[in-house]
Amino acid sequence: MSEDKPHQNLAIIGHVDHGKSTLVGRLLYETGSVPEHVIEQHREEAEEKGKGGFEFAYVMDNLAEERERGVTIDIAHQEFDTDEYYFTIVDTPGHRDFVKNMITGASQADHAVLVVAADDGVAPQTQEHVFLSRTLGIEKLIIAVNKMDVVDYSEDDYNDVVDEVNQLLNQVNFEVDDNSFIPISAFEGDNVAEASDNTPWYDGRTLLETLNDLPESEPPTDAPLRLPIQDVYTISGIGTVPVGRIETGVMNVGDDVSFQPSDVGGEVKTIEMHHEEVPKAEPGDNVGFNVRGIGKDDIRRGDVCGPADDPPSVAETFQAQVVVMQHPSVITAGYTPVFHAHTAQVACTIESIDKKMDPSSGEVAEENPDFIQSGDAAVVTIRPQKPLSIEPSSEIPELGSFAIRDMGQTIAAGKVLEVNE
Amino acid sequence: MGKVAAKIKVMPDSPEMDLDTLQERLESSLPEGAKINGVEREEVAFGLVALIPTVIVPDGAGGTEAVEENFTEVEGVESVDVENVGRI
C-alpha cells in the first residue's frame, strides 16, 4: 500500500449484529487487503467442512486470533486503500464503558460509516453511536443500509430505513447529503466495490467510491492553542516541565501562554518532543515544555494551556447536550457525578434540565422536565464544583466533549453548547 | 464477546525511574481477565520516557477502568491515560 496518499481514520459504527465485522471483512477483501495466507487457510477449512462461500466474519475472527497471538498488537490494524486515500479502520468497542476512552483519548476517526440493517432499522445502539460520532467530532457520516439481500433488495424497505435514520440525524443536527446513503449487502458484496444489478432503482455511488470522495482531513492548526496538561514535573537543570498532547493550534518557543483554570502564565522557553528540542509543536504532538516563572505547584493536571491573548475558557456554568446511556434510575436537577473532559476529572452538578428531545422527531419534547433517564437526549445546565476549563464544541470541538461517570459506569456523554465564564 | 486492545500511556513519576522495574510492576498489577500484549516506550521530553503497554480486556462492563485504577496505584507511576481503544 502506498504511503504517499493522505491518511484517513474511518470508524465503523452501528448496532450489534447489523453487520459491522462483515462489512470490515468485505472492504478488506474487495481492496485486496486480506493477507493471502488467511484466505488460503479459510479455503482449506471450508473445503474440509464442506462450507461454501467466503465468510467474512470468519476471516475477521481469524485475524483477531492471529493478532492476539502476536507479540505486539497495533490497534490501527485494519488497513485498505482507495485511489485517493490510505484508510485505517477504527473498530469501536461495543460496551458503553469504553466511551470515556474515546472522548478523553487521542481523537480517533475523521469519518464514520454507520451500518444499519435493512431488516431491523434504527436500533438503540444506532442512536447512541450517531450521537457519539457527533460528540466525538466525526466530520462526515456515510450510512450503509446493510443486509439488503435479506429484504430482497426492496426499495421500499430501504427508503423506510433512510427516513428513520434521517429523523435520528435531525435530532442531533448532523447534516448529511442525500448521497451519503447506500443500499449494500456486505455479505453478498452489493454496491460495495461495484454497482449491483440487484438494486436497479439505486443510481448513486458504491461504498468504496463514496469513501474515495471523502474530503481530506485537515489538522486543527488554525484554532487557538489548546494543550491539556497531563502531568507536571520538576526536572533538574530545567525547572518545571508540564507534559501533554496538543489538541488544537500551534505552540512556538517565545509564545506568551496562559494556564487555566490555575490562571498563571509566562513565556515558553523550550519545547521538547521525543527528547529533541523543537521550535514549535502542532496538533497530536506529545510535548514537554518549560515556561518562564512557572513553579511546579502553580499548575496541575487538568489545566489547559493556551495563548495569553486567547486563553482557555473557564466555566462558571455551561450548557450542554447530553445523551443518557445507562443509569439505574432517573437523573434530576442536583445530581453531581464526575465529568471527564480532556485530562480533567471534576464533580459537576446538573443545575437544571432545560429541554428533553423527542428521539423520533428531534424536536423539543418537554421544556424543563423533572427528570431524564436512559436513552434520553437533553439539554442541561451544568455547574462545575471546582473550576473547569472547557470550550463550546462549535468553536473548539476537541475541548468541547465530556463523559459523565458514576458508580463505576459511563452513564452519559455530551458536548458543550455554551460556556458562561 | 469480543476483546478490546487499549493503548495505555503510563508516565513515570520522574526521569530517574527504572523502566524495567516499572514495567514488571505494571504486569503484576493487572486485574484478572486483562493481559499485557507488548509494551512500547516513547521518549517524551527532558529525559522522561512513557511506557505504553497494549492491554487486552474483554469488551464488557467496566471497560478499562480496573486496569487504569490498578496502574495508578503502582509505585513510581505519575499518571495513566488511555490513548486509544479498538476491538481486535
Side-chain angles (χ1 to χ4, degrees), chain A residues 71 91 94 97 231 233 272 301, chain B residues 12 37 46 59 62 79 81 87:
Chain A
V71 179
D91 197 357
D97 286 347
D231 303 294
Y233 292 92
E272 276 204 9
R301 180 182 170 91
Chain B
N37 204 307
F46 304 103
D59 187 357
S79 72
D81 287 279
R87 293 203 306 172

Side-chain angles (χ1 to χ4, degrees), chain A residues 52-203:
Chain A
F54 192 83
E55 289 174 41
F56 294 102
Y58 170 89
V59 171
M60 299 317 294
D61 286 351
N62 210 303
L63 286 172
E65 274 173 33
E66 185 169 278
R67 278 195 303 275
E68 207 183 337
R69 280 197 305 271
V71 179
T72 54
I73 293 186
D74 189 358
I75 293 172
H77 50 281
Q78 288 151 356
E79 295 167 336
F80 67 94
D81 64 342
T82 63
D83 290 343
E84 289 292 325
Y85 296 116
Y86 179 73
F87 283 95
T88 299
I89 295 177
V90 180
D91 197 357
T92 51
H95 203 279
R96 289 153 173 165
D97 286 347
F98 290 96
V99 167
K100 183 201 76 169
N101 303 139
M102 292 184 241
I103 288 177
T104 58
S107 73
Q108 297 205 65
D110 308 307
H111 309 292
V113 176
L114 172 68
V115 183
V116 188
D119 61 336
D120 197 18
V122 168
Q125 276 174 293
T126 316
Q127 186 184 351
E128 197 170 298
H129 288 185
V130 164
F131 183 85
L132 287 173
S133 54
R134 187 86 172 94
T135 304
L136 297 172
I138 294 288
E139 257 179 81
K140 286 265 179 192
L141 193 63
I142 296 167
I143 299 95
V145 180
N146 192 25
K147 303 197 185 184
M148 286 304 297
D149 53 315
V150 176
V151 298
D152 295 326
Y153 302 97
S154 154
E155 183 178 7
D156 288 343
D157 286 7
Y158 170 73
N159 286 333
D160 287 347
V161 174
V162 170
D163 287 346
E164 262 190 86
V165 175
N166 266 325
Q167 282 181 356
L168 176 60
L169 296 173
N170 281 338
Q171 184 192 351
V172 293
N173 299 318
F174 208 144
E175 281 179 36
V176 298
D177 314 332
D178 285 344
N179 57 10
S180 301
F181 290 86
I182 308 162
I184 66 159
S185 164
F187 189 73
E188 299 289 348
D190 300 282
N191 294 325
V192 175
E194 280 175 39
S196 169
D197 294 338
N198 293 320
T199 53
W201 42 266
Y202 175 74
D203 58 5

